[in-house]
Amino acid sequence: MSLFNCITNQCPLGSNFGSSNKLGSCGAVPQLGGGAQRRDKSRNSRSITAYYGLKTPPYKLDALEPYMTQKTLEVHWGAHHRGYVEALNKHLAKNDLLYGYTMDELIKVTYNNGNPWPEFNSAAQVWNHDFFWESMQPGGGEMPTLGLLQQIEKDFGSFINFREKFVEAALTSFGSCWVWLVLKREKRCLAIVKTSNAINPLVWNDIPITGLDVWEHAYYLDFKNDRAKYINTFMDHLISWEAAAARMARAQSFVNLGEPKIPVA
Amino acid sequence: MAFRTLITRNPAAPLASRGLHTFSLPDLPYDYGDLEPAISSEIMQLHHQKHHQTYITNYNKALEQLEAASAKGDASTTVKLQSAIKFNGGGHVNHSIFWKSLAPVRAGGGEPPRGPLRWAIDNNFGSFEALIKKMSAEGAAVQGSGWVWLGLDKEFKRLVVETTENQDPLVSKGARLVPLLGIDVWEHAYYLQYKNVRPDYLKNIWKVVNWKHASDVFEKENP
């Protein structure tokens, strides 16, 4: 991967998110989910600075039609998400203290135990939206399978019950919110969590398995005020249980969910 | 153009006979299209008929549940209902103020205030333009959903610019604050027209702000 200043407004793809055939064609789109490098202060050497880049969703912008329109993705990803990335980079440019953190660490540090710094909003929303795009897929919906389904059935009784609770949580959240299925580290079980504005379960050290953006900008162009229809469409046609299963598998490296049932010979 | 009349009677007549007041959607004093091009008629219609109506419906429901719980002496339900009452009741209160804070251009919308309110604005903020700039900046800076207000502090007799989150009414920032103007900065208030560019919405809304109403409220509180 060639080294270049990954400030999004200098990226050749930067402002041209509209034409989907250009997306993903740049082999050097940096997956800068990781931390930025410390600025080289020496005046003589060419300073190498790295910032966060706008990750493209793992599908084309029209791939989720008709359940989430291309128009929504163009504005939600291309304007909102991009805006958060640019705001984050602006914050980082001013604050050397925050360099060197990974994204997860940055979120926890700037959350400041409930008294968030201004950088928190940008950092968390960048992470939230990366997570959100990956939580959906074309041809999504239906049900989880195997281990994840078993865990859901264990912690919620049944998948139907889980789905009901998830939808209810999304419907009853006030204002700009996110709804998450998380694996609680200490309780060692799955749970549904509502958070407001930019907050996400990382700040409580829990492991998000999937999430839904319930800010109005996520559904207004497609569904106007009909939040219920959006939520149900997400559950029926968009949610990626594959992504959730992968996250669940990874989470089990950190959380012991119990002894495996080894059949006795 | 006919005024938009939309009084939806709450069909729960038995409640009324028990003495419980049920709220209904107030009429707009102008037509949905009258605030174009600052605010589109599509947004006005959705905002009034769907969003505001939903707050009222849910407020009435919460009040009904509250009455039942109080009658039974069910303290935990009473307390649990508070957030729904604050949110939906606040939504009703705030939106009722919002419709009055706006006026079509032909009815004086956008015309800067004169008289005592103008004098107070110059005194408190330096100039009318400075107030506009401050309110627009604070409105744009609200994270998530909320409101930006021009309020009168009755006790200290001064004007303040405040923001509240979600549907918190202005009094949640101070019991002696009286709202003169409220501007909704929830995304539903502007998204269809302005998308994510809230600053543009805030720039344009001043063209239909009803300073006459603000002056009336101000003068009533400041005889």
Side-chain angles (χ1 to χ4, degrees), chain A:
Chain A
M1 185 181 103
S2 56
L3 260 179
F4 64 90
N5 245 348
C6 185
I7 302 173
T8 49
N9 57 9
Q10 289 184 10
C11 172
L13 294 179
S15 53
N16 199 358
F17 55 81
S19 53
S20 50
N21 61 351
K22 275 197 185 172
L23 284 173
S25 61
C26 164
V29 167
Q31 299 292 305
L32 277 188
Q37 297 171 25
R38 190 157 288 282
R39 215 190 281 273
D40 183 348
K41 298 244 166 72
S42 137
R43 289 225 184 129
N44 292 325
S45 65
R46 186 171 137 259
S47 63
I48 298 168
T49 54
Y51 294 87
Y52 288 93
L54 179 63
K55 241 199 241 181
T56 58
Y59 35 77
K60 293 208 178 126
L61 293 188
D62 61 357
L64 298 180
E65 294 258 11
Y67 307 111
M68 186 176 277
T69 59
Q70 176 174 358
K71 185 73 192 162
T72 291
L73 276 165
E74 281 175 1
V75 185
H76 198 176
W77 174 77
H80 288 271
H81 193 179
R82 186 184 304 269
Y84 289 125
V85 171
E86 289 175 358
L88 177 60
N89 286 334
K90 264 201 220 109
H91 281 304
L92 291 179
K94 286 189 278 186
N95 187 344
D96 263 1
L97 281 177
L98 293 176
Y99 264 43
Y101 283 115
T102 62
M103 180 58 103
D104 285 25
E105 290 170 351
L106 185 64
I107 289 172
K108 283 192 206 149
V109 163
T110 52
Y111 181 64
N112 195 23
N113 282 314
N115 205 3
W117 300 354
E119 294 85 350
F120 174 75
N121 188 56
S122 313
Q125 283 290 67
V126 170
W127 187 94
N128 292 343
H129 285 88
D130 283 341
F131 187 83
F132 182 49
W133 308 133
E134 287 164 10
S135 299
M136 295 190 288
Q137 66 170 81
E142 306 210 10
M143 281 179 56
T145 54
L146 304 172
L148 178 54
L149 179 60
Q150 277 172 23
Q151 191 67 37
I152 287 178
E153 287 172 345
K154 178 158 176 260
D155 293 326
F156 294 99
S158 68
F159 177 73
I160 306 256
N161 193 38
F162 155 74
R163 190 188 185 287
E164 247 177 55
K165 290 264 167 341
F166 191 85
V167 169
E168 193 198 330
L171 275 174
T172 56
S173 44
F174 295 154
S176 304
C177 297
W178 291 78
V179 183
W180 312 89
L181 173 64
V182 295
L183 181 62
K184 287 205 164 278
R185 238 183 251 261
E186 286 178 28
K187 289 195 186 153
R188 299 170 198 278
C189 65
L190 290 173
I192 294 171
V193 170
K194 292 193 271 196
T195 59
S196 60
N197 290 359
I199 298 175
N200 61 42
L202 294 179
V203 306
W204 299 300
N205 211 27
D206 289 330
I207 305 178
I209 302 296
T210 192
L212 174 59
D213 189 350
V214 211
W215 282 57
E216 285 177 325
H217 65 236
Y219 59 91
Y220 216 79
L221 292 179
D222 291 342
F223 298 98
K224 309 280 188 311
N225 68 310
D226 198 344
R227 192 191 263 196
K229 193 149 177 240
Y230 163 65
I231 297 165
N232 282 298
T233 303
F234 173 79
M235 294 305 287
D236 292 337
H237 299 286
L238 290 170
I239 188 172
S240 171
W241 287 115
E242 279 174 31
R247 290 162 180 161
M248 189 68 187
R250 182 178 176 275
Q252 287 177 288
S253 319
F254 299 93
V255 181
N256 183 358
L257 287 174
E259 294 302 320
K261 286 201 189 72
I262 300 171
V264 177

Side-chain angles (χ1 to χ4, degrees), chain B residues 20-33:
Chain B
L20 183 69
H21 179 94
T22 53
F23 293 89
S24 52
L25 190 66
D27 295 340
L28 292 188
Y30 37 79
D31 221 4
Y32 290 133

